[in-house]
């Protein structure tokens, strides 16, 4: 890693992007150094809002060569896996709370792997990270929510970084390297603290797609907070 390499990758979330110019917005963020894409699928049940499904994932897939993860904030994630994979998602991230049990979560991770995708599990603020420890051997990523899921533009609860510190220490003790992703309220002012807590990926929605900057400039600002 050189001095100019950021401490964590930025994964833009398009919830507040200009959907009328989506491909252009994606290409602009890529030019600014987006590391991968984080696409938020919401079903109106697991979280109150609806967002989008496979058609928008396919549109982003056509606009970028980068890795795509789908964050499924849906009640029955397994029913969406095949469509998401076919649309071009390479990692399927489902909620532990939607799975309902460690056994069901393990089966969902296996289902993602059987489709040729990576598997990630997201946890809401109230779910202890220790609940995932028996599952780590089946996972490619853990995603820690710093906000209540469902809406972009909320303020991150940085007390939840303790979960990341605990998980990173646990992974290190087990000799495992795994992506830890933080989602919700990431901004240039808190990005460094997020990375230093042990996150390797930072989702950024409204910090990238907003009225005051281009996505390219916004990602440059995040990277500036993340270089050594
Ligand atoms: C919220 C989503 C997040 C969110 C990120 O439910 O999972 O990915 O849109 O947006 P910001 O960065 O604005 O919190
Ligand atoms: Zn998300």
């Amino acid at each position: 890693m050189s001095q100019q390499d950021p401490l964590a990758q930025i994964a833009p979330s398009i919830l507040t992007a200009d959907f009328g110019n989506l491909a252009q917005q994606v290409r602009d963020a890529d030019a600014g150094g987006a590391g991968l894409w984080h696409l938020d699928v919401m079903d109106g049940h697991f979280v109150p809002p609806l967002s989008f499904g496979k058609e928008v994932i396919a549109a982003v897939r056509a606009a970028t060569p980068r890795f795509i993860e789908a964050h499924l904030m849906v009640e029955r994630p397994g029913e969406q896996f095949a469509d998401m994979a076919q649309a071009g998602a390479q990692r399927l991230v489902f909620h532990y709370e939607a799975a309902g049990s460690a056994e069901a979560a393990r089966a969902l991770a296996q289902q993602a792997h059987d489709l040729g995708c990576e598997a990630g599990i997201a946890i809401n603020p109230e779910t202890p990270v220790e609940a995932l420890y028996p599952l780590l051997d089946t996972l490619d990523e853990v995603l820690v929510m710093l906000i209540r899921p469902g809406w972009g533009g909320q303020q991150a609860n940085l007390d939840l970084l303790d979960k990341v510190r605990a998980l990173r220490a646990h992974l290190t003790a087990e000799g495992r390297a795994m992506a830890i992703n933080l989602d919700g309220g990431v901004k240039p002012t808190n990005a460094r603290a997020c990375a230093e807590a042990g996150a390797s990926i930072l989702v950024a929605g409204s910090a990238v797609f907003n009225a005051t900057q281009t996505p390219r400039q916004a990602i440059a600002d995040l990277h500036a907070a993340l270089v050594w």
Side-chain angles (χ1 to χ4, degrees):
M1 200 183 258
S2 86
Q3 293 224 325
Q4 289 313 306
D5 282 332
L7 297 168
Q9 289 189 301
I10 300 300
S13 156
I14 60 171
L15 282 183
T16 57
D18 172 3
F19 278 72
N21 293 297
L22 186 58
Q24 185 271 326
Q25 296 241 294
V26 168
R27 287 194 290 265
D28 194 58
D30 277 356
L36 68 158
W37 286 87
H38 174 93
L39 303 183
D40 288 302
V41 176
M42 304 182 188
D43 67 350
H45 293 283
F46 183 75
V47 292
L50 287 167
S51 61
F52 51 76
K54 61 181 171 26
E55 292 80 6
V56 170
I57 292 183
V60 175
R61 175 74 291 159
T64 178
R66 310 248 159 129
F67 190 90
I68 293 178
E69 66 176 13
H71 177 194
L72 300 173
M73 286 163 276
V74 306
E75 227 168 53
R76 295 191 295 279
E79 293 180 9
Q80 306 298 327
F81 278 9
D83 277 352
M84 298 293 136
Q86 207 189 359
Q90 293 152 288
R91 180 157 57 222
L92 303 174
V93 184
F94 58 91
H95 271 262
Y96 181 77
E97 301 83 5
S101 68
E103 197 179 41
R106 189 171 279 279
L108 284 165
Q110 185 61 49
Q111 190 185 334
H113 288 144
D114 289 346
L115 286 162
C117 292
E118 293 190 5
I121 295 193
I123 48 170
N124 284 342
E126 67 277 10
T127 302
V129 72
E130 291 77 12
L132 303 182
Y133 288 1
L135 293 167
L136 295 175
D137 63 306
T138 67
L139 299 177
D140 303 291
E141 172 183 278
V142 169
L143 185 151
V144 175
M145 297 294 305
L146 297 180
I147 55 166
R148 184 177 164 221
W151 300 270
Q154 302 178 68
Q155 192 166 345
N157 176 355
L158 297 180
D159 291 346
L160 296 168
L161 293 183
D162 283 348
K163 288 190 192 181
V164 180
R165 292 185 192 100
L167 175 60
R168 188 53 84 196
H170 181 80
L171 287 166
T172 303
E174 286 206 334
R176 276 182 212 283
M178 187 186 292
I180 302 180
N181 187 341
L182 285 180
D183 188 5
V186 172
K187 299 191 172 4
T189 48
N190 61 25
R192 193 175 184 91
C194 290
E196 286 178 348
S200 47
I201 301 172
L202 305 178
V203 174
S206 52
V208 170
F209 298 106
N210 57 61
T212 58
Q213 289 169 299
T214 64
R216 185 180 181 143
Q217 289 164 339
I219 291 178
D221 281 0
L222 284 160
H223 279 159
L226 287 168
V227 288
W228 294 12

